[in-house]
Amino acid sequence: MARTFALHIPDADLEPEPLDPAQIVSGTPEVSGKVVWESEDGRQVRGIWQITPGVVTDTEADELFVVVSGSATIEVEGGPVVRVGPGDMAVLRAGDRTTWTVHETLRKAYSITR
């Protein structure tokens, strides 16, 4: 991938990323995404991610993301409950155990450090 580029996030084509059925708490959420850049050592990843309505659990990586569309409530085990929507930036810490309640299909741009 080119070192310098621009991408219109709302229209970007994404690829299906099947969820582990054990992560689904309720509903029939579907996930898709696209990695747009990854460092040579694989420790830095930039991309776009989308999830349809439902409730899922996850264990997070160090991540900064900005919501482009949709909304969700993210409950961090032993931590805060965060509601995010268009224009919101959020930071998740590696190891955070989360429950995502997706109210409207959520699309975000993210940067992950592994």
Side-chain angles (χ1 to χ4, degrees):
M1 172 136 312
R3 292 171 71 93
T4 301
F5 63 93
L7 179 64
H8 189 67
I9 296 167
D11 299 331
D13 289 328
L14 306 179
E15 298 292 324
E17 295 180 359
L19 277 168
D20 176 346
Q23 289 182 266
I24 300 172
V25 176
S26 68
T28 54
E30 295 179 6
V31 171
S32 55
K34 177 181 186 114
V35 171
V36 298
W37 181 85
E38 186 170 352
S39 63
E40 287 185 25
D41 65 4
R43 295 194 68 238
Q44 301 286 322
V45 181
R46 316 282 194 272
I48 302 166
W49 185 82
Q50 180 171 288
I51 185 168
T52 62
V55 180
V56 298
T57 60
D58 200 10
T59 301
E60 304 297 337
D62 277 325
E63 178 181 2
L64 177 144
F65 68 86
V66 176
V67 177
V68 176
S69 59
S71 65
T73 302
I74 306 164
E75 298 177 51
V76 179
E77 187 177 284
V81 175
V82 180
R83 176 139 178 137
V84 295
D88 290 335
M89 180 181 81
V91 174
L92 300 170
R93 297 173 306 157
D96 279 349
R97 296 178 57 90
T98 57
T99 300
W100 290 66
T101 301
V102 180
H103 311 290
E104 301 170 73
T105 297
L106 183 134
R107 184 174 282 216
K108 66 180 183 176
Y110 66 83
S111 176
I112 290 175
T113 302
R114 297 181 179 155

